[in-house]
Amino acid sequence: MMKIRVGFGYDVHALVPDRALWLGGIKIEHTLGLQGHSDADVLIHAICDALLGAANMRDIGYHFPDTAGAYKDIDSKILLRDTLKLLREKGYELGNIDATVCAEQPKLKNHIPTMQQTLAEVMAVDPDDISIKATTSEKLGFTGRQEGISAYATVLITKN
């Protein structure tokens, strides 16, 4: 019998000057970047949390603590690759991802296909299994004031 599980992830990072903006594993030209211990890729972090949650394996901070020097400025694609490795060691495989990035600026729609392709390569899955959407918060709240970017992810994983 196939076991099917779902997981949900959320992450937020502040926008600050003098940092690169990494989203969905790609560098995007923008005047501000995301602040964090790693490269602060909110989309990848939300996906990692969703995957770990679906497999009942805690969260990204448990596996990759921001108190560990090894993760300082780390490329979040490495964290995603390692998260998939943990899941596969437990017998799970990715079904699909449905994710949303919430940011006023920059506009992300033209970057989404590259994000999908990049994430698919990191996870060794079909890009069609990764849905990424972009929205704004209509100038409301911290995202609306361009103080930060948030991301949400829902995943489905299976085990035979």
Side-chain angles (χ1 to χ4, degrees):
M1 183 175 127
M2 181 185 291
K3 188 173 207 170
I4 297 172
R5 297 178 70 131
V6 297
F8 173 75
Y10 169 76
D11 194 35
V12 60
H13 283 279
L15 281 164
V16 295
D18 305 317
R19 284 276 293 192
L21 178 59
W22 287 91
L23 283 173
I26 66 170
K27 188 176 178 181
I28 296 174
E29 288 305 314
H30 190 51
T31 54
L32 301 171
L34 293 170
Q35 183 176 41
H37 185 72
S38 66
D39 65 9
D41 188 325
V42 291
L43 178 54
I44 287 182
H45 296 179
I47 291 169
C48 287
D49 266 352
L51 289 164
L52 291 165
N56 192 21
M57 296 177 74
R58 312 247 339 224
D59 59 45
I60 192 171
Y62 177 80
H63 292 278
F64 314 108
D66 63 8
T67 53
Y71 303 116
K72 179 75 177 133
D73 297 323
I74 194 168
D75 181 337
S76 290
K77 291 187 293 291
I78 295 168
L79 304 181
L80 180 60
R81 183 199 65 207
D82 291 353
T83 296
L84 258 291
K85 187 175 179 220
L86 289 168
L87 257 71
R88 288 175 174 141
E89 285 170 359
K90 201 170 172 180
Y92 290 104
E93 190 48 63
L94 176 69
N96 73 298
I97 295 169
D98 183 21
T100 302
V101 178
C102 187
E104 293 296 323
Q105 293 291 331
K107 296 300 178 197
L108 300 174
K109 70 178 179 183
N110 294 336
H111 299 288
I112 288 174
T114 308
M115 290 182 196
Q116 289 171 298
Q117 185 62 44
T118 300
L119 297 177
E121 287 170 11
V122 170
M123 295 185 286
V125 299
D126 189 318
D128 192 51
D129 294 335
I130 304 168
S131 167
I132 300 170
K133 302 173 305 296
T135 191
T136 70
S137 61
E138 301 294 333
K139 301 195 177 3
L140 298 172
F142 72 88
T143 53
R145 292 187 301 269
Q146 299 184 50
E147 295 168 6
I149 294 178
S150 58
Y152 306 83
T154 304
V155 303
L156 181 136
I157 61 172
T158 60
K159 183 189 239 183
N160 283 320

